[in-house]
Amino acid sequence: DNLPTPQEFASPTEGFRMRANFHIWRTTSDLDETKIDYVMFEPGTQNPYRVTQYPMGSNRLQDCMSVLRTALNGKHTLLAQKLKEVTFHTTLNDDSDNAVIVLNYFDTSFVSEEWKDAAQALSTLGNNVTIVGASRKLAESIIIGGTATLTERLTVSMDGE
């Protein structure tokens, strides 16, 4: 019964998520230009809401979101074809610049040398960004720009400090 008194610590209100998953939403303008956005759905409904900022995400995650959105709507529209959803993975150490971006497609038709070239170009837009192309119908994911593994290093004090 010599247990220490529990302590309460406030959690951060921003920058605490290292992973995020978004569906891809397409809107077409009067000029037949397609715009790609990230969306989430209101709980219990199929009502999408556009995610333009994600303050709960780490700085690195938010940077990756911005870079990818710009690429999908600009120079690398090939990556957006048949794209269903995207998942971002980062680490607690924003300084490490490590990130994995998983592009999930409806089918395997995205697989091409042109897709690989565009993914390689995107992976060089940020340091240590790995692009993973995936589909449920694809036997093996395509990994571009590094490894699909992130390493998290934590320091744990054993003396209670």
Side-chain angles (χ1 to χ4, degrees):
D1 289 4
N2 292 333
L3 296 175
T5 303
Q7 294 179 319
E8 203 173 289
F9 298 94
S11 296
T13 58
E14 293 186 353
F16 59 89
R17 300 264 337 219
M18 305 304 126
R19 179 186 171 280
N21 185 62
F22 302 100
H23 289 271
I24 295 299
W25 197 260
R26 292 167 177 77
T27 52
T28 305
S29 72
D30 293 338
L31 302 173
D32 285 335
E33 295 174 345
T34 300
K35 182 180 179 200
I36 302 293
D37 282 303
Y38 306 127
V39 298
M40 296 180 110
F41 293 92
E42 294 176 18
T45 74
Q46 287 298 311
N47 299 331
Y49 61 91
R50 192 171 282 121
V51 178
T52 57
Q53 295 182 339
Y54 191 66
M56 286 124 2
S58 68
N59 291 335
R60 181 67 169 143
L61 190 147
Q62 292 180 62
D63 290 345
C64 288
M65 287 176 63
S66 177
V67 166
L68 180 62
R69 182 187 295 114
T70 299
L72 295 177
N73 284 303
K75 188 175 181 181
H76 300 294
T77 57
L78 173 69
L79 296 174
Q81 293 175 10
K82 297 197 177 185
L83 182 60
K84 178 172 65 171
E85 62 187 12
V86 61
T87 305
F88 299 93
H89 300 271
T90 61
T91 64
L92 287 169
N93 184 1
D94 276 338
D95 295 336
S96 74
D97 284 337
N98 289 330
V100 174
I101 301 173
V102 180
L103 304 175
N104 255 322
Y105 290 87
F106 284 103
D107 59 38
T108 60
S109 64
F110 75 92
V111 180
S112 69
E113 286 306 312
E114 293 83 10
W115 183 91
K116 291 177 184 178
D117 291 343
Q120 182 64 47
L122 180 61
S123 75
T124 62
L125 292 177
N127 296 332
N128 299 320
V129 175
T130 299
I131 306 297
V132 178
S135 170
R136 288 185 182 193
K137 297 177 183 179
L138 190 64
E140 194 172 297
S141 296
I142 299 171
I143 301 170
I144 304 289
T147 176
T149 303
L150 293 176
T151 300
E152 188 72 77
R153 298 196 194 287
L154 301 175
T155 303
V156 179
S157 173
M158 299 304 287
D159 59 8
E161 291 182 18

